[in-house]
Amino acid sequence: MDINIEDVGKGKKVSLSGEIDMHTSPELRKALLKLTKEKISPIIIDLKNVSYMDSSAIATFVEALKSMMSYKGSMRLCNLSPRVQEIFAFAKLDRVFTICKDIEDALSR
Amino acid sequence: MQNESAITIKNLITRYGDKLILKDLSFEIPRSKITAIVGGSGCGKSTLLKHIIGLLKPASGSILVGGRDIVAMNERELNEFRRRIGVLFQGSALLNSMTIEDNVALPIREHARLNEATIKIMVKMKLDLVGLSGFDDFFPAQLSGGMKKRAGIARAMALDPEMLFFDEPQAGLDPITAAGLDELIMKLRDIFKMTLVVVTHELHSLFTIADHIIMLDKGELIFTGTVEQFKFSEHPKIKRFISRQVEEDKYCPEDYFNIITAD
């Protein structure tokens, strides 16, 4: 898994690629919690190049979102594959996260 | 293109002592579908399941999963293989001294180096998936039979397995609870595109959930195919199984005489 973080307005765009599984999600957790500690908002997560994502990845996003609630930050997930989107909908996580079609959509919110 | 077969079994033979238990079985288990292994008691269903999940080694034959033969794997490779599958055993196999949360978290703590906060969220997600939100702090003894099975499924799902195996999941459940469990098994196929293998002899459940059926009789494969093909099979044993007819006399008079006069 690769993590690339860049500035977008007041927030940050986190572009992820490769597989996010139980081996790699601790690295993602570290990166996201560093951003939430700095009270960054919005955090836009680009999943376009993610080939596989397991429940530890989803739990990591949930944990980061939870820590953003203290400063009313916004996390936007974009470019979800249809399969991941289906899992998010099934777990009702599409009501918890702001799900965006692509980066343009995420930036316009 | 992805291989349509998740598991390929070739010429599987198993013996307990001199007794032949599985007699040269060859068949495929399709990917992302529910396959039911059926047959009367003692026909070798559970033994077959134990071979597929790597708990028993056959006398000969191969079990190919993702192109690799699990029969030829060493213990370390088998452990890696088992990490990628989930199993719901008949008694759910929950640890009674642990809460449901700790039972589900156990495989994650064993196999991954994750922060406890992440694990806690993962466990809550799994419990919600099986309809047990809010039961984190309960102990197995405080749950009904159906809830224990659900907790067992949550634990089997802990490491996001590619395949899930169930050994008679409806055993001991009332019809409504069993129907709820069937629904959950179908959900796992539809949402997570998992390959599911269910050992069962419950006809209603079989026709509700199965996409593919494998039938054994006294260790022999007598059917492999779709549910429709199974329903319309002309095989006398399949017809008897579907219409719940009692087996014909097992022995001819000579056999019976030999049994009761054996030394």
Side-chain angles (χ1 to χ4, degrees), chain A residues 21-23 25-26 29 52-60 62-63 66 83 86-87 90-93, chain B residues 83 108 111-115 117-118 121-122 125-126 128-129 157-160 187 190-194:
Chain A
D21 58 18
M22 289 178 206
H23 298 293
S25 63
R29 178 177 187 270
Y52 173 78
M53 201 163 102
D54 71 6
S55 58
S56 73
I58 299 174
T60 302
V62 171
E63 194 185 348
K66 191 179 166 194
R83 190 165 167 189
E86 203 178 352
I87 292 171
F90 173 70
K92 300 173 208 86
L93 288 169
Chain B
R83 208 191 68 78
I108 308 174
H111 292 281
R113 297 272 169 273
L114 295 175
N115 184 279
T118 312
I121 295 170
M122 285 170 74
M125 281 163 42
K126 308 288 176 190
D128 185 61
L129 171 74
M157 293 280 293
L159 295 171
D160 297 324
K187 244 191 227 174
D190 298 339
I191 307 291
F192 297 95
K193 318 291 179 219
M194 296 177 84

Side-chain angles (χ1 to χ4, degrees), chain B residues 6-7 19 34 62 77 88 101 111 124 142 147 230 242 251:
Chain B
I7 302 169
K19 198 169 161 56
I34 299 173
S62 59
E77 292 168 322
L88 177 69
E101 178 183 347
H111 292 281
K124 283 186 186 296
Q142 295 171 298
M147 289 161 99
F230 186 77
I242 293 174
Y251 314 117

Side-chain angles (χ1 to χ4, degrees), chain A residues 29-109:
Chain A
R29 178 177 187 270
K30 208 170 141 192
L32 290 180
L33 292 187
K34 186 169 178 284
L35 296 180
T36 62
K37 206 173 168 190
E38 292 166 13
K39 297 193 171 18
I40 302 287
S41 181
I43 296 175
I44 297 172
I45 312 274
D46 186 2
L47 298 167
K48 193 177 178 183
N49 295 314
V50 171
S51 52
Y52 173 78
M53 201 163 102
D54 71 6
S55 58
S56 73
I58 299 174
T60 302
F61 293 136
V62 171
E63 194 185 348
L65 180 66
K66 191 179 166 194
S67 77
M68 292 179 87
M69 294 203 165
S70 64
Y71 61 95
K72 296 192 171 60
S74 151
M75 182 186 281
R76 300 165 200 171
L77 302 179
C78 61
N79 287 317
L80 275 72
S81 69
R83 190 165 167 189
V84 171
Q85 211 153 0
E86 203 178 352
I87 292 171
F88 268 66
F90 173 70
K92 300 173 208 86
L93 288 169
D94 55 342
R95 297 180 210 170
V96 175
F97 291 99
T98 307
I99 307 285
C100 307
K101 194 169 157 273
D102 49 30
I103 291 290
E104 289 70 38
D105 182 22
L107 288 170
S108 68
R109 301 271 181 133

Side-chain angles (χ1 to χ4, degrees), chain B residues 25 38 41 113-114 125 150 172 177 183 187 195 214-215:
Chain B
L25 307 183
V38 301
S41 297
R113 297 272 169 273
L114 295 175
M125 281 163 42
R150 285 171 180 270
T177 308
E183 221 168 84
K187 244 191 227 174
T195 300
I214 285 154
M215 184 164 176

Side-chain angles (χ1 to χ4, degrees), chain B:
Chain B
M1 204 178 93
Q2 240 189 358
N3 188 352
E4 283 190 4
S5 162
I7 302 169
T8 303
I9 293 185
K10 287 183 187 168
N11 307 109
L12 193 74
I13 294 175
T14 289
R15 291 189 179 87
Y16 287 156
D18 292 338
K19 198 169 161 56
L20 204 54
I21 304 295
L22 299 177
K23 301 172 184 169
D24 198 15
L25 307 183
S26 294
F27 60 86
E28 297 193 340
I29 291 177
R31 189 182 300 280
S32 305
K33 301 230 183 282
I34 299 173
T35 295
I37 300 176
V38 301
S41 297
C43 71
K45 308 186 290 283
S46 293
T47 304
L48 173 61
L49 184 74
K50 283 176 187 157
H51 282 84
I52 301 175
I53 61 177
L55 287 181
L56 290 177
K57 289 256 186 205
S60 62
S62 59
I63 301 168
L64 299 168
V65 182
R68 295 204 57 203
D69 185 4
I70 64 164
V71 174
M73 285 180 181
N74 60 33
E75 203 49 40
R76 190 185 55 77
E77 292 168 322
L78 269 178
N79 281 337
E80 180 52 33
F81 162 72
R82 290 191 197 113
R83 208 191 68 78
R84 289 165 35 218
I85 64 169
V87 185
L88 177 69
F89 293 101
Q90 269 191 42
S92 300
L94 297 168
L95 295 169
N96 287 328
S97 58
M98 285 184 174
T99 62
I100 297 306
E101 178 183 347
D102 285 337
N103 263 287
V104 178
L106 186 66
I108 308 174
R109 289 183 181 131
E110 280 283 308
H111 292 281
R113 297 272 169 273
L114 295 175
N115 184 279
E116 274 302 311
T118 312
I119 294 175
K120 215 176 170 68
I121 295 170
M122 285 170 74
V123 169
K124 283 186 186 296
M125 281 163 42
K126 308 288 176 190
L127 288 178
D128 185 61
L129 171 74
V130 300
L132 283 183
S133 273
F135 289 90
D136 316 38
D137 296 331
F138 281 58
F139 285 88
Q142 295 171 298
L143 301 184
S144 68
M147 289 161 99
K148 276 184 199 163
K149 301 263 181 181
R150 285 171 180 270
I153 294 175
R155 195 181 58 183
M157 293 280 293
L159 295 171
D160 297 324
E162 297 155 27
M163 291 183 267
L164 258 189
F165 298 87
F166 301 82
D167 192 5
E168 307 211 5
Q170 294 87 3
L173 299 182
D174 65 80
I176 294 180
T177 308
L181 204 61
D182 283 347
E183 221 168 84
L184 176 58
I185 293 170
M186 290 190 286
K187 244 191 227 174
L188 298 178
R189 173 197 57 195
D190 298 339
I191 307 291
F192 297 95
K193 318 291 179 219
M194 296 177 84
T195 300
L196 300 132
V197 179
V198 184
V199 167
T200 186
H201 53 229
E202 301 282 336
L203 274 180
H204 182 75
S205 171
L206 172 70
F207 291 133
T208 306
I209 65 173
D211 301 303
H212 191 82
I213 295 177
I214 285 154
M215 184 164 176
L216 299 184
D217 179 64
K218 299 187 184 90
E220 269 176 53
L221 179 75
I222 61 166
F223 179 85
T224 172
T226 65
V227 177
E228 285 308 298
Q229 289 166 337
F230 186 77
K231 277 182 187 167
F232 297 106
S233 169
E234 287 300 317
H235 194 296
K237 293 205 169 172
I238 295 174
K239 288 174 99 170
R240 267 206 300 277
F241 182 79
I242 293 174
S243 59
R244 296 170 181 243
Q245 279 173 11
V246 179
E247 275 262 25
E248 286 160 355
D249 258 359
K250 280 185 190 167
Y251 314 117
C252 62
E254 291 79 17
D255 285 343
Y256 183 65
F257 180 78
N258 288 335
I259 287 167
I260 60 171
T261 57
D263 290 329

